[in-house]
Amino acid sequence: SGGVPLYIGALTRAALDSAGRPGAPSVPATLYDSLMADLDRLGPARVSVQRCSVLGTAFSTDDLDLLGGSAAVVRAHLDVAVANGVLLDEGQGNLRFAHDLTASAAYESLLRSERAALHARVAEHFPPDRARLAPEQLAFHLEAAGRPFEAAVAWRRASTKSNSASRHAEAQQLARRAIMLLDTIDLASQPDG
């Protein structure tokens, strides 16, 4: 396990699950395998957890509406994930992945096309008041959805917001992100903005 506490826990769970049961899954050889084994253990709830990973490492139950689908089914699936230690319930409808690596593994296990479609759906249904408060969240989803011009505009808004809050280093990073995106697209084909 190399002394990594997350991996030690995953190896211990895998060893206990496979102890004394013929045909039980073997102990994972890598950390990624153990993370995927934790997700596989969720059964049908795995799909909902993977979809929620698009929202980031922490999200609220209100955010589930952004992903679409049956909120009741997704909430039941998330209860399974909480019971299995994949998600942590922080109360008041706030959930968090137990570990950032678990969120990353769930996210990476989605097909790229599905990830892009989910990001596009989140961007399209992103509440306007929240976009004003957290433009960087909208920018992230727009960029991941393959909409670089709109993402650049949102990154610029985030930069302006950070600059007005005297977070100048952060504002510079966000502005650089916007410029990098603008450099990758043909601006002549884009609307004025």
Side-chain angles (χ1 to χ4, degrees), residues 21-166:
R21 290 191 341 219
S26 62
V27 174
T30 66
L31 178 57
Y32 180 79
D33 290 342
S34 69
L35 294 170
M36 292 310 295
D38 286 346
L39 291 173
D40 290 339
R41 214 174 278 121
L42 298 177
R46 174 188 172 160
V47 174
S48 294
V49 171
Q50 287 173 297
R51 290 171 55 90
C52 288
S53 70
V54 169
L55 298 169
T57 57
F59 55 92
S60 74
T61 53
D62 294 338
D63 293 338
L64 300 178
D65 295 334
L66 297 172
L67 295 173
S70 171
V73 171
V74 172
R75 285 190 176 111
H77 286 172
L78 297 183
D79 288 342
V80 171
V82 168
N84 281 284
V86 173
L87 293 177
L88 302 174
D89 187 348
E90 297 184 323
Q92 299 178 344
N94 295 315
L95 298 166
R96 172 178 296 283
F97 277 89
H99 199 283
D100 290 352
L101 290 175
T102 305
S104 179
Y107 184 79
E108 292 298 325
S109 66
L110 285 169
L111 295 174
R112 286 185 182 174
S113 59
E114 187 176 0
R115 280 195 312 242
L118 286 168
H119 282 294
R121 177 165 170 70
V122 170
E124 288 165 12
H125 294 89
F126 208 78
D129 57 330
R130 187 166 163 193
R132 282 189 296 281
L133 292 173
E136 66 281 354
Q137 290 179 359
L138 176 59
F140 168 75
H141 291 294
L142 287 167
E143 186 175 346
R147 295 160 57 179
F149 182 77
E150 295 169 80
V153 170
W155 283 123
R156 188 187 91 29
R157 285 187 185 129
S159 174
T160 301
K161 186 174 183 291
S162 293
N163 197 38
S164 65
S166 297

Side-chain angles (χ1 to χ4, degrees), residues 16 93 99 189:
L16 291 174
H99 199 283
S189 68

